[in-house]
Amino acid sequence: MTTVLIVDDQPMQRLGFRMLLESVPDTDVVGEAAHGADAVRQAAELRPDVVLMDVRMPGMDGIEATRRIVATGGRSRVLVMTTFDLDEYAHTALLAGASGFLLKDARPEELLAGIRAVAAGDAVIAPALTRRLLDAYAHHLPGHLQDHEPQDDPKLRTLTGREREILVAIGRGWTNAEIAERLVLAESTVKTHVGRVLAKIGARDRIQAVIFAYDLGLTRPHTTD
């Protein structure tokens, strides 16, 4: 059972999310909040698996609420939802510590899958935003990381050759299914490798692994294969 806290300033939007989540047997809505400050308070009290977080709210917005929830080091992971297909929202939310970012026009099955994935420790980014987000992050790096050979790092040296391949694939925004297809591996094997990579580099989730790969220059803008 995945427990969820819904955060949105629109009552009808909260109701819609609740109806969807209560229509399936493996999710349980444990609370609702209408603004960021209440979200932070309830996340501390209820310790939900996933906080479904709106971005634009009066008072404390979803970005600051995400930052505060993640900073506590608690179990809750944040899945940000917004109606706005803007790179800066996704980029800022993920840097604040969110484990995922979806648009509110996502199909119900996409939202449910996103909640389950985030609860399981994976990362979720709306497909339309993935490439632009990664490229936007890369453009914030110092020039020497964009233009020269990958940097060395003690954590990188702990990876096997296959695990390094997996890290590069994660950095390119590939899903487990895409990695399995391109590297000709079983998806279950890929999942095992991803878990080992995250543990070895000390990444909480795939988003942190992407940032690690970009910081070291393992993945660069416009790398698609």
Side-chain angles (χ1 to χ4, degrees):
M1 180 69 68
T2 300
T3 55
V4 181
L5 170 64
I6 299 171
V7 184
D8 197 294
D9 65 325
Q10 298 294 323
M12 288 300 295
Q13 187 72 65
R14 295 198 305 272
L15 177 61
F17 284 142
R18 176 180 281 276
M19 291 177 64
L20 172 62
L21 296 177
E22 290 182 343
S23 72
V24 294
D26 61 339
T27 58
D28 178 27
V29 177
V30 294
E32 296 183 16
H35 53 79
D38 194 25
V40 174
R41 180 185 62 80
Q42 290 199 50
E45 291 178 358
L46 302 172
R47 301 180 68 246
D49 297 313
V50 177
V51 179
L52 199 58
M53 181 75 75
D54 188 23
V55 172
R56 299 184 68 172
M57 296 180 290
M60 185 189 298
D61 65 15
I63 302 298
E64 180 59 25
T66 295
R67 187 176 292 111
R68 295 191 185 193
I69 290 170
V70 172
T72 66
R75 60 178 294 181
S76 301
R77 295 176 180 272
V78 180
L79 177 57
V80 170
M81 302 290 295
T82 183
T83 54
F84 301 93
D85 181 6
L86 296 176
D87 293 343
E88 56 264 33
Y89 284 127
H91 189 237
T92 306
L94 296 173
L95 289 181
S99 293
F101 183 97
L102 289 175
L103 300 178
K104 287 183 179 178
D105 63 1
R107 297 190 301 272
E109 60 269 24
E110 291 176 332
L111 175 56
L112 292 171
I115 289 172
R116 293 172 185 132
V118 167
D122 208 340
V124 177
I125 310 176
L129 295 172
T130 303
R131 173 50 47 197
R132 299 204 312 276
L133 175 67
L134 298 182
D135 287 352
Y137 179 78
H139 291 147
H140 287 281
L141 295 177
H144 71 278
L145 290 184
Q146 295 185 35
D147 303 328
H148 292 76
E149 288 302 309
Q151 304 297 296
D152 192 18
D153 185 280
K155 294 177 182 177
L156 199 58
R157 294 196 293 271
T158 68
L159 302 181
T160 66
R162 175 62 82 185
E163 288 167 352
R164 182 166 172 145
E165 282 185 296
I166 296 291
L167 174 59
V168 171
I170 293 172
R172 291 172 178 167
W174 297 358
T175 64
N176 284 356
E178 289 170 332
I179 296 172
E181 180 181 354
R182 299 192 188 201
L183 299 184
V184 194
L185 296 170
E187 195 166 341
S188 59
T189 301
V190 171
K191 187 173 182 180
T192 299
H193 281 311
V194 169
R196 289 174 179 164
V197 168
L198 297 184
K200 286 185 177 182
I201 67 174
R204 184 172 188 245
D205 53 35
R206 290 172 87 110
I207 295 299
Q208 289 190 340
V210 168
I211 292 174
F212 180 81
Y214 268 73
D215 281 344
L216 295 183
L218 297 175
T219 307
R220 295 183 175 87
H222 311 302
T223 301
T224 58
D225 54 35

